[in-house]
Amino acid sequence: MSSPQLIPFLEKQDSEIFNAIRGEEKRESEGLELIPSENYVSKAVLEADGSVFTNKYSEGYPGRRYYGGQEYTDVVENIARERACKLFNCKFANVQPLSGAPANVAMYFALCKPGDTILGMDLGHGGHLTHGHPVTHLAKIFNFIRYKMKDPETGEIDFDELRETALREKPKMILAGFSAYSRNLDYAKFVEIAKEVGAITVMDAAHIAGLIAGKALPNPFDFGFDVITTTTHKTLRGPRGGMILVRENADFAKAIDKSVFPGLQGGPHMHLIAGKAVAFGEALKPEFQTYAQQILKNAKAMEKVFLDADIRLLGGGTSNHLLLADVFGSLGVTGKDAQFALDEVGITLNMNSIADDPRKPLDPSGIRFGTPAATTRGFDEKDCARVAELMIEVLKDHENSDLKKRVREEIRKLCLARPIPESFL
Ligand code: DSN
């Protein structure tokens, strides 16, 4: 087990919270994290997150803040911005968004006016709530319209339909990106269509930011995308937070800065910006590229085991870090039962709707899982293939408690043999 965080003051002062932290450390250490949007940060990132910057208000931006005492906050935010621009090969970065959803909100208000049309990926086909799902506040303000996959068996986007919709509706913005889609996007095609209709191109890279930064997947900026929004805590392996990047348009960057603050947020969480700077420093090292490549190899290893067992994978498989399996269609177990049964054996993932799912979101047909966190703790293709075999054993007989006990023990042993690292350098 990686060493427990040193928290002597908490231990003396607040046993309830102390015990919860120790419990979470044990859970993370002995269980296998397959939620594709989660990861483990280094102790260096954790130290920055827990630093004295938590005490500081710093509304504004480096060199133009509304409070005194900013000599160190400016250092931290400037380094975070510079490293982010280097990682993603762009000119501007706003590192203040508190997370992915506020990053998207600030981005929409910076680049669109209320009532403007935004063309994004349908949630049911892999998009994200913040891409204009009717339950969000955003959907009351902007006119979101959607594109889908042409064929859920290959994951191919229906670019004919996307283009027709764009020509007809003249969107202000075309949005790429997803939270449950396992294939690569044809960025050049998005840019080509956007140019035809004069739309801004934005990629929500929250899930694959680390794979882009680690050069395992293409960078949308290399194809002419205008803006990237992202979280920093998924494949990028930083603290919980968000970020907005602009390739080169200074007017966009200015509008985004104004939209994040004062438009949407108050004081930035400078302790998390310090953590982002540290994580970006780690991602700039060559080791991070090896990590990003291994995430993909591990996902491919899991893909093979699932496909060999004739379990339907949406998109026909994976080209990134995640897989979406139709466990109800293939094995007759609902996504919810699958999630709970796997939780019992120490494998954490999430139930997920599949394209055009006949079932409800709280009890859908699918499960979504991925390899970023397991790869961080050193799992390789062989380990991931074994995990996939164990998952399928449990899914096929999910009420068998003897089986679940045996699998729980094997998962615990696998995890203890691959402790969560303290440092990645
Ligand atoms: N919650 C994140 C995910 O799991 O994909 C983004 O919505």
Side-chain angles (χ1 to χ4, degrees), residues 83-102:
R83 289 181 183 168
C85 288
K86 211 163 160 194
L87 269 180
F88 290 90
N89 191 22
C90 62
K91 286 211 172 127
F92 305 99
N94 187 308
V95 294
Q96 293 194 3
L98 303 180
S99 206

Side-chain angles (χ1 to χ4, degrees), residues 35-38 128-130 178-180 206-207 231 233-234 240 322 350 352 368:
I35 294 175
S37 49
E38 294 191 11
H128 189 252
L129 275 175
T130 59
F178 48 80
S179 59
H207 263 259
T231 50
H233 50 268
K234 298 188 175 95
R240 196 151 287 279
L322 74 79
N350 63 280
N352 212 101
R368 186 188 69 153

Side-chain angles (χ1 to χ4, degrees), residues 48-109:
D49 290 354
S51 69
V52 287
F53 281 116
T54 202
N55 298 331
K56 191 71 195 111
Y57 258 125
S58 45
E59 280 101 326
Y61 291 97
R64 47 194 172 95
R65 310 255 194 208
Y66 290 83
Y67 291 69
Q70 305 293 345
E71 50 272 51
Y72 301 109
T73 55
D74 280 7
V75 170
V76 161
E77 188 165 351
N78 277 330
I79 292 175
R81 296 201 294 198
E82 281 159 23
R83 289 181 183 168
C85 288
K86 211 163 160 194
L87 269 180
F88 290 90
N89 191 22
C90 62
K91 286 211 172 127
F92 305 99
N94 187 308
V95 294
Q96 293 194 3
L98 303 180
S99 206
N104 279 345
V105 174
M107 178 278 292
Y108 294 133
F109 277 95

Side-chain angles (χ1 to χ4, degrees), residues 405-420:
K405 224 164 130 191
R406 173 174 61 76
V407 173
R408 177 68 192 103
E409 210 31 52
E410 187 169 341
I411 292 293
R412 193 197 318 275
K413 278 195 187 132
L414 266 174
C415 288
L416 292 177
R418 304 241 182 280
I420 300 166

